[in-house]
Each structure stands twice: as structure tokens, then as C-alpha cells.
Amino acid sequence: MLLVFSVGMAASAWVLNCLLDDNAKQETLRGAGLMMESTLSVRGDSVNQVKPLLEPQLAETFLPQTVPARAATEIFGVLHAKYPDFRYDEATLNPTNPRDRAVDWGSDLIQKVRAAPATTDLSGERPAATGRMLCVARPIAIKDGAGLQCHSVPAAAPASKARIYGPDSGFGWQHMETVDAQVKSVPLPGPLANAQRTFQAFVLSLDGISLAAFVVLNLRLSWLIIGPISRMAGVAARASTGDFDVTDVPREPRRNRCASGVVQPHAAQPVQGHQAGRRLMRNGT
């Protein structure tokens, strides 16, 4: 019984631990997805609101504020200064600004999303100095032809851009091509630590309740079943050796009917084994 109880507790603890860890990762993914949507809003605002206002000046001076990726990166740069474990990158194979060039794992992510154009989000874990990081990558494809104005050929781009970044940076993009990926990295140690604290508190509470129930059950079994059976076994063992003095076994109270017709019980009297034996011998003779 104790073995079955222990195995059941261990299996329940393992399932609970897996569920809590998975829930922590899903919550982290939802938070990363919300941050990703906010960066898309920033990019859209740069394209629709900021760039039209600054476009007349692009012929003379290239303004990085007109680049959607720059707006999203700069805003999350401020967030990164306050929360250094959170990162946002726009990894690009052929960027205008060399700082946005994808390297190592970022390049691998872009190759994966380019190989599967229908992919909306790609998530995975990678090691970092502060622990495991959960990364969410979302491909960015050139769906609006207006975006090719600065990235198709150098002649179509503003001259100020070519003067700053050169004729080889950020050109040659094609319509509907996946050129970069938004990559949001969030730390896992914090959510997983919270899940472990919840797991430990639940298991300790369950162990305490189970131990108390086990003790109470054993006491009840000893009092109601094991104790009486042990006493009966002792009486039977003494009787088998000819000891009929079983005064420790109470008799059922006898009932006597008085003149009024009310049944009145007699007090329980102990059975005197030797007297009963003599009566049996007389009856036998």
C-alpha cells in the first residue's frame, strides 16, 4: 500500500511539474508576442506618419528616422537599458545599416523562415550568459512595393542614402522576399523559478495532507480492526491450551422483563470459564 501510494505521488508530482513549466513557457511566449505586435505598430507609424513628413529632405540628407526598423530598434533599445535581459533585434541578411546584419543564430533563423514562407512565428530556446532565453522570430517580407524604392537598386534610392551607406548595403531586395526577421528574446529563468516555487508549495502541502491522512487512517485501523482482532486471537490461543478463564471478553447484556413489561438490561457479567466447564461436564454425565 505504501509503495503504491509513493508511486502515485511521484507520478502526480512529475505531471504537475511538466504542466507548470509548460504554462510558464506559454505565458512567456504570449508576452513576447504582445511585444512583437507593439513593434509592428511602431513600424507602421514610421511608414505612414513619419516618412511622408521627412521625405522632401531625403534628397539632400538621409534621415534614419524614416526607416521602420530603426524606430522599432531604438524604442526597444530604451527598454533594454532598463531591462537588460530583454532583447529585440531585426536580423537582416543584407541590411542598410551594418549593425542590423544577422550573425550566428540570427542568420539561421532567417534561413529557416525563408525555407518555409507560410511560417508566421518560430520559437525556440538558446543559451545565454544569464541563462536560457526564449526566442520568438517573425519573418518580414516585402509586401508593399513602396518599400523597394530604397532597396531595389542604388539608382532608385535617395542619393543621400548611397552617400552614407554605400551602393552595396541594403539593395537587391525582391518583392515578397523574406529579407529579415523580428527576433524577440526573453529570459526563461524568472518564469521557470516562479513555476518551481508553485510546484514546491503544492507538493509540500499535498505531502502534509497525505501524511496526516495516512496517520489517521492507520490509527483508526488499529483501534477498530487490528486491536479487536489481536485480542480475539489472544483469547483463542489461551482457550486452545485449556485456559477457559476469558474474563476479558464481555458478554452481551441480558435483558429482563419486569412486571411493567419494560425490558431492563442486566449489567454485563464476565464469563467464568471454569464454571461453564463444570456445567458442561455435569450435563455430559
Side-chain angles (χ1 to χ4, degrees), residues 131-275:
R132 287 189 297 169
M133 302 288 288
L134 184 63
C135 301
V136 181
R138 178 173 297 178
I140 298 179
I142 303 299
K143 298 179 180 180
D144 188 358
L148 292 176
Q149 179 181 357
C150 297
H151 298 284
S152 56
V153 293
S160 57
K161 175 187 174 183
R163 287 197 301 267
I164 295 176
Y165 296 106
D168 299 324
S169 298
F171 294 107
W173 294 8
Q174 303 295 325
H175 184 60
M176 298 304 295
E177 179 188 10
T178 300
V179 294
D180 65 353
Q182 294 177 291
V183 182
K184 187 72 183 72
S185 302
V186 293
L188 271 178
L192 290 179
N194 292 335
Q196 283 300 309
R197 282 193 292 269
T198 302
F199 170 75
Q200 292 171 3
F202 181 82
V203 169
L204 288 176
S205 300
L206 185 60
D207 286 345
I209 295 173
S210 301
L211 180 60
F214 185 77
V215 171
V216 171
L217 179 60
N218 277 273
L219 291 176
R220 295 284 291 177
L221 286 174
S222 178
W223 179 40
L224 297 177
I225 299 177
I226 299 177
I229 291 178
S230 298
R231 290 193 295 271
M232 291 175 61
V235 170
R238 293 198 302 271
S240 66
T241 60
D243 183 5
F244 295 103
D245 189 9
V246 287
T247 57
D248 54 344
V249 180
R251 294 181 57 188
E252 182 69 21
R254 292 182 299 170
R255 299 179 181 274
N256 184 26
R257 185 177 300 274
C258 65
S260 61
V262 179
V263 177
Q264 295 182 349
H266 288 282
Q269 298 294 331
V271 177
Q272 300 299 327
H274 60 284
Q275 295 176 1

Side-chain angles (χ1 to χ4, degrees), residues 50-170:
V50 178
K51 186 177 180 179
L53 297 176
L54 300 179
E55 197 165 9
Q57 306 178 37
L58 292 178
E60 300 294 334
T61 305
F62 180 74
L63 301 174
Q65 290 80 5
T66 60
V67 180
R70 187 259 180 194
T73 303
E74 290 298 323
I75 287 178
F76 266 87
V78 177
L79 181 66
H80 177 69
K82 190 173 182 180
Y83 302 98
D85 292 338
F86 292 80
R87 292 186 57 86
Y88 174 80
D89 302 286
E90 291 210 8
T92 309
L93 295 178
N94 182 22
T96 299
N97 193 331
R99 76 170 186 177
D100 298 327
R101 187 176 302 277
V103 293
D104 300 332
W105 59 271
S107 178
D108 295 337
L109 281 176
I110 295 180
Q111 295 298 342
K112 288 181 180 180
V113 297
R114 284 167 68 94
T119 302
T120 55
D121 287 331
L122 186 65
S123 62
E125 298 180 24
R126 67 179 181 88
T130 57
R132 287 189 297 169
M133 302 288 288
L134 184 63
C135 301
V136 181
R138 178 173 297 178
I140 298 179
I142 303 299
K143 298 179 180 180
D144 188 358
L148 292 176
Q149 179 181 357
C150 297
H151 298 284
S152 56
V153 293
S160 57
K161 175 187 174 183
R163 287 197 301 267
I164 295 176
Y165 296 106
D168 299 324
S169 298

Side-chain angles (χ1 to χ4, degrees), residues 6-16:
S6 301
V7 171
M9 286 288 296
S12 300
W14 179 79
V15 172
L16 177 63

